[in-house]
Protein backbone atom coordinates (compact mmCIF):
# COMPACT_ATOMS: atom_id res chain seq x y z
CA UNK A 1 0.00 0.00 0.00
CA UNK A 2 1.29 3.45 -0.87
CA UNK A 3 0.37 6.59 1.03
CA UNK A 4 0.48 9.89 -0.75
CA UNK A 5 1.25 11.90 2.38
CA UNK A 6 -1.82 14.11 2.43
CA UNK A 7 -2.53 16.22 5.51
CA UNK A 8 -5.08 15.02 8.05
CA UNK A 9 -7.06 18.27 7.93
CA UNK A 10 -9.41 18.13 4.91
CA UNK A 11 -10.15 21.84 5.19
CA UNK A 12 -6.97 23.87 4.64
CA UNK A 13 -7.20 27.45 5.85
CA UNK A 14 -5.54 28.75 2.71
CA UNK A 15 -8.15 28.31 -0.02
CA UNK A 16 -5.54 29.38 -2.56
CA UNK A 17 -3.26 26.48 -1.72
CA UNK A 18 -4.14 24.71 -4.96
CA UNK A 19 -4.98 27.79 -7.00
CA UNK A 20 -3.34 26.28 -10.07
CA UNK A 21 -4.86 23.06 -11.33
CA UNK A 22 -2.51 20.11 -11.42
CA UNK A 23 -2.87 16.35 -11.26
CA UNK A 24 -0.86 13.72 -9.46
CA UNK A 25 -0.86 10.02 -10.38
CA UNK A 26 -0.03 7.57 -7.59
CA UNK A 27 0.26 3.81 -7.91
CA UNK A 28 -1.27 1.68 -5.15
CA UNK A 29 -1.28 -2.07 -4.64
CA UNK A 30 -4.53 -3.03 -2.93
CA UNK A 31 -6.18 -6.45 -2.64
CA UNK A 32 -3.57 -7.76 -5.06
CA UNK A 33 -4.57 -5.16 -7.65
CA UNK A 34 -2.20 -2.47 -8.94
CA UNK A 35 -4.09 0.79 -9.45
CA UNK A 36 -3.02 4.15 -10.83
CA UNK A 37 -5.13 6.81 -9.17
CA UNK A 38 -5.24 10.37 -10.48
CA UNK A 39 -5.83 13.17 -7.98
CA UNK A 40 -6.78 16.53 -9.47
CA UNK A 41 -5.95 19.51 -7.26
CA UNK A 42 -7.02 23.11 -7.79
CA UNK A 43 -10.18 22.21 -9.71
CA UNK A 44 -12.51 23.11 -6.82
CA UNK A 45 -12.80 19.43 -5.92
CA UNK A 46 -11.92 20.07 -2.29
CA UNK A 47 -12.04 16.86 -0.24
CA UNK A 48 -12.91 14.84 -3.37
CA UNK A 49 -9.43 15.39 -4.83
CA UNK A 50 -7.10 13.31 -2.62
CA UNK A 51 -6.92 9.64 -1.76
CA UNK A 52 -7.64 9.53 1.97
CA UNK A 53 -6.05 7.01 4.32
CA UNK A 54 -9.49 5.74 5.40
CA UNK A 55 -10.15 4.59 1.82
CA UNK A 56 -6.87 2.67 1.69
CA UNK A 57 -7.58 1.08 5.07
CA UNK A 58 -11.01 -0.08 3.91
CA UNK A 59 -9.40 -1.82 0.92
CA UNK A 60 -6.85 -3.45 3.23
CA UNK A 61 -9.64 -4.58 5.56
CA UNK A 62 -11.42 -6.29 2.66
CA UNK A 63 -8.20 -8.13 1.81
CA UNK A 64 -7.30 -9.07 5.39
CA UNK A 65 -10.82 -10.30 6.21
CA UNK A 66 -11.31 -11.95 2.81
CA UNK A 67 -14.59 -10.05 2.31
CA UNK A 68 -16.24 -11.54 -0.78
CA UNK A 69 -16.66 -8.87 -3.44
CA UNK A 70 -16.82 -11.02 -6.59
CA UNK A 71 -20.29 -11.01 -8.09
CA UNK A 72 -21.63 -8.41 -5.64
CA UNK A 73 -23.70 -5.39 -6.65
CA UNK A 74 -21.96 -2.46 -4.99
CA UNK A 75 -22.54 1.28 -4.76
CA UNK A 76 -19.96 3.70 -3.34
CA UNK A 77 -21.07 7.02 -1.85
CA UNK A 78 -18.86 10.11 -1.95
CA UNK A 79 -16.42 8.10 -4.03
CA UNK A 80 -13.94 10.96 -4.63
CA UNK A 81 -11.10 9.34 -6.55
CA UNK A 82 -13.02 6.05 -6.69
CA UNK A 83 -10.19 3.94 -5.30
CA UNK A 84 -12.43 1.70 -3.14
CA UNK A 85 -15.07 1.04 -5.79
CA UNK A 86 -12.46 0.52 -8.51
CA UNK A 87 -10.72 -2.10 -6.37
CA UNK A 88 -14.09 -3.85 -5.95
CA UNK A 89 -14.72 -3.73 -9.71
CA UNK A 90 -11.26 -5.13 -10.43
CA UNK A 91 -12.15 -8.02 -8.10
CA UNK A 92 -15.31 -8.87 -10.02
CA UNK A 93 -18.04 -6.73 -8.48
CA UNK A 94 -20.59 -4.74 -10.47
CA UNK A 95 -19.97 -1.25 -9.17
CA UNK A 96 -21.69 2.13 -9.30
CA UNK A 97 -19.52 5.07 -8.21
CA UNK A 98 -21.35 8.18 -6.99
CA UNK A 99 -20.42 11.67 -5.85
CA UNK A 100 -21.41 15.26 -6.40
CA UNK A 101 -21.37 16.34 -10.06
CA UNK A 102 -18.08 18.26 -9.79
CA UNK A 103 -16.22 15.05 -8.83
CA UNK A 104 -17.47 12.89 -11.70
CA UNK A 105 -14.80 13.86 -14.24
CA UNK A 106 -12.02 12.73 -11.89
CA UNK A 107 -13.95 9.55 -11.10
CA UNK A 108 -14.44 8.74 -14.78
CA UNK A 109 -10.76 9.37 -15.49
CA UNK A 110 -9.74 6.89 -12.81
CA UNK A 111 -12.14 4.26 -14.12
CA UNK A 112 -10.55 4.64 -17.56
CA UNK A 113 -7.02 4.54 -16.14
CA UNK A 114 -7.67 1.27 -14.34
CA UNK A 115 -9.43 -0.91 -16.88
CA UNK A 116 -7.64 -4.29 -16.82
CA UNK A 117 -5.94 -5.32 -20.06
CA UNK A 118 -8.37 -8.23 -20.28
CA UNK A 119 -11.37 -6.00 -19.58
CA UNK A 120 -13.46 -5.59 -16.43
CA UNK A 121 -14.19 -9.02 -14.87
CA UNK A 122 -17.89 -8.28 -14.38
CA UNK A 123 -18.87 -4.89 -15.83
CA UNK A 124 -17.56 -1.43 -16.53
CA UNK A 125 -18.09 0.66 -13.36
CA UNK A 126 -20.89 3.19 -13.71
CA UNK A 127 -20.27 6.80 -12.62
CA UNK A 128 -23.35 8.80 -11.54
CA UNK A 129 -24.18 11.93 -9.53
CA UNK A 130 -25.85 11.41 -6.15
CA UNK A 131 -26.66 14.16 -3.65
CA UNK A 132 -27.67 12.64 -0.32
CA UNK A 133 -31.23 13.31 0.68
CA UNK A 134 -32.11 14.46 -2.84
CA UNK A 135 -31.26 11.89 -5.52
CA UNK A 136 -31.31 8.55 -3.71
CA UNK A 137 -34.80 7.64 -4.90
CA UNK A 138 -33.42 7.48 -8.45
CA UNK A 139 -31.32 4.51 -7.36
CA UNK A 140 -32.42 0.95 -6.61
CA UNK A 141 -32.69 -0.42 -3.08
CA UNK A 142 -31.27 -3.90 -3.62
CA UNK A 143 -27.50 -3.42 -3.37
CA UNK A 144 -25.42 -6.13 -1.75
CA UNK A 145 -22.92 -3.64 -0.34
CA UNK A 146 -22.75 0.12 0.14
CA UNK A 147 -19.22 1.46 0.60
CA UNK A 148 -18.33 4.73 2.32
CA UNK A 149 -14.76 5.97 2.89
CA UNK A 150 -14.15 9.13 4.93
CA UNK A 151 -17.45 10.79 4.08
CA UNK A 152 -18.62 11.51 7.66
CA UNK A 153 -17.32 15.00 8.51
CA UNK A 154 -20.14 17.52 7.94
CA UNK A 155 -22.78 17.30 10.72
CA UNK A 156 -25.45 18.98 8.59
CA UNK A 157 -25.24 16.06 6.14
CA UNK A 158 -25.61 13.29 8.74
CA UNK A 159 -29.42 12.98 8.56
CA UNK A 160 -29.26 13.08 4.75
CA UNK A 161 -26.63 10.35 4.67
CA UNK A 162 -28.68 8.10 6.96
CA UNK A 163 -31.77 8.70 4.81
CA UNK A 164 -29.79 7.77 1.70
CA UNK A 165 -28.28 4.66 3.26
CA UNK A 166 -31.70 3.54 4.49
CA UNK A 167 -33.13 3.74 0.97
CA UNK A 168 -30.20 1.94 -0.64
CA UNK A 169 -30.37 -0.89 1.92
CA UNK A 170 -34.12 -1.54 1.98
CA UNK A 171 -33.52 -5.06 0.69
CA UNK A 172 -31.04 -5.82 3.43
CA UNK A 173 -27.73 -4.67 1.99
CA UNK A 174 -24.68 -4.23 4.20
CA UNK A 175 -22.81 -0.95 4.63
CA UNK A 176 -19.08 -0.66 5.24
CA UNK A 177 -17.92 2.74 6.48
CA UNK A 178 -14.31 3.75 7.10
CA UNK A 179 -13.87 7.04 8.94
CA UNK A 180 -11.22 9.27 10.38
CA UNK A 181 -12.74 10.00 13.79
CA UNK A 182 -12.61 13.79 13.83
CA UNK A 183 -13.90 15.14 17.15
CA UNK A 184 -14.25 18.66 15.74
CA UNK A 185 -16.76 17.36 13.19
CA UNK A 186 -18.65 15.06 15.56
CA UNK A 187 -17.86 11.94 13.55
CA UNK A 188 -18.44 9.76 16.63
CA UNK A 189 -21.90 11.31 17.00
CA UNK A 190 -22.88 10.00 13.58
CA UNK A 191 -22.01 6.43 14.57
CA UNK A 192 -23.38 6.64 18.10
CA UNK A 193 -26.60 8.62 17.54
CA UNK A 194 -27.62 9.00 13.88
CA UNK A 195 -26.80 5.67 12.25
CA UNK A 196 -28.10 3.43 15.09
CA UNK A 197 -31.59 4.88 14.61
CA UNK A 198 -31.97 2.79 11.47
CA UNK A 199 -29.02 0.38 11.42
CA UNK A 200 -27.35 -2.17 13.61
CA UNK A 201 -23.83 -0.78 13.82
CA UNK A 202 -20.69 -2.81 14.60
CA UNK A 203 -17.14 -1.51 14.99
CA UNK A 204 -15.05 -4.11 13.15
CA UNK A 205 -11.63 -2.44 13.15
CA UNK A 206 -9.91 0.37 15.05
CA UNK A 207 -6.56 1.90 14.06
CA UNK A 208 -5.38 3.91 17.06
CA UNK A 209 -2.35 5.36 15.27
CA UNK A 210 -4.35 6.75 12.34
CA UNK A 211 -7.52 7.32 14.42
CA UNK A 212 -9.55 5.46 11.81
CA UNK A 213 -12.54 3.22 12.53
CA UNK A 214 -14.20 0.75 10.18
CA UNK A 215 -17.87 -0.05 10.81
CA UNK A 216 -20.26 -2.61 9.37
CA UNK A 217 -23.94 -1.69 9.44
CA UNK A 218 -27.06 -3.68 8.59
CA UNK A 219 -30.60 -2.27 8.44
CA UNK A 220 -32.89 -2.94 11.40
CA UNK A 221 -35.91 -4.99 10.41
CA UNK A 222 -39.05 -3.02 9.75
CA UNK A 223 -37.24 0.29 9.32
CA UNK A 224 -37.78 2.67 6.40
CA UNK A 225 -39.99 0.33 4.34
Amino acid sequence: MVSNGEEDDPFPVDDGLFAETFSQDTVYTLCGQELKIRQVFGANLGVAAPVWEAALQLCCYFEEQAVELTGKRIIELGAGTGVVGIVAARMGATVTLTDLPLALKQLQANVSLNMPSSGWPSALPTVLPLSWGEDQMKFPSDWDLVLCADIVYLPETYPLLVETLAHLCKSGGLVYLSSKMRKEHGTDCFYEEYLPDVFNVELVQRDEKQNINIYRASPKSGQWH
Side-chain angles (χ1 to χ4, degrees):
M1 183 177 76
V2 179
S3 176
N4 61 357
E6 69 270 3
E7 296 296 325
D8 286 342
D9 184 1
F11 307 107
V13 175
D14 181 7
D15 290 334
L17 183 61
F18 298 123
E20 295 183 9
T21 301
F22 69 97
S23 64
Q24 172 184 315
D25 290 355
T26 306
V27 175
Y28 300 90
T29 300
L30 300 161
C31 300
Q33 304 290 322
E34 185 174 287
L35 273 64
K36 179 188 287 187
I37 299 297
R38 177 163 298 165
Q39 302 162 84
V40 181
F41 298 102
N44 296 319
L45 290 182
V47 296
V51 173
W52 296 101
E53 185 65 30
L56 302 178
Q57 288 213 13
L58 184 56
C59 293
C60 291
Y61 173 82
F62 290 153
E63 182 174 22
E64 292 163 3
Q65 300 299 317
V67 175
E68 184 58 65
L69 301 176
T70 304
K72 302 295 186 183
R73 294 182 66 254
I74 293 175
I75 186 168
E76 183 179 3
L77 302 183
T81 62
V83 61
V84 178
I86 290 170
V87 165
R90 290 280 294 260
M91 296 180 70
T94 299
V95 176
T96 297
L97 300 161
T98 71
D99 209 318
L100 297 175
L102 58 80
L104 300 188
K105 185 176 180 180
Q106 177 179 254
L107 264 175
Q108 194 62 65
N110 280 323
V111 168
S112 299
L113 279 172
N114 289 284
M115 184 177 75
S117 57
S118 57
W120 295 97
S122 179
L124 172 70
T126 302
V127 175
L128 292 172
L130 199 170
S131 297
W132 308 335
E134 297 178 16
D135 303 330
Q136 70 270 15
M137 301 306 291
K138 299 176 183 177
F139 291 79
S141 300
D142 58 350
W143 304 95
D144 297 311
L145 297 175
V146 182
L147 307 182
C148 310
D150 221 352
I151 63 172
V152 181
Y153 54 83
L154 292 176
E156 60 268 29
T157 68
Y158 294 172
L160 306 177
L161 178 54
V162 172
E163 182 182 342
T164 300
L165 291 171
H167 169 74
L168 297 173
C169 295
K170 277 184 179 178
S171 296
L174 284 177
V175 187
Y176 282 96
L177 308 102
S178 181
S179 284
K180 183 90 167 182
M181 303 304 291
R182 299 180 175 90
K183 287 185 178 180
E184 67 273 24
H185 301 306
T187 305
D188 56 344
C189 181
F190 174 80
Y191 291 105
E192 293 171 7
E193 298 179 21
Y194 286 90
L195 198 57
D197 278 348
V198 186
F199 287 84
N200 300 304
V201 183
E202 178 185 7
L203 175 64
V204 294
Q205 182 172 288
R206 165 75 181 155
D207 185 323
E208 291 285 350
K209 184 178 179 181
Q210 297 284 343
N211 192 26
I212 291 172
N213 289 357
I214 296 178
Y215 296 87
R216 181 171 56 220
S218 58
K220 293 179 177 179
S221 59
Q223 294 282 342
W224 293 77
H225 284 267

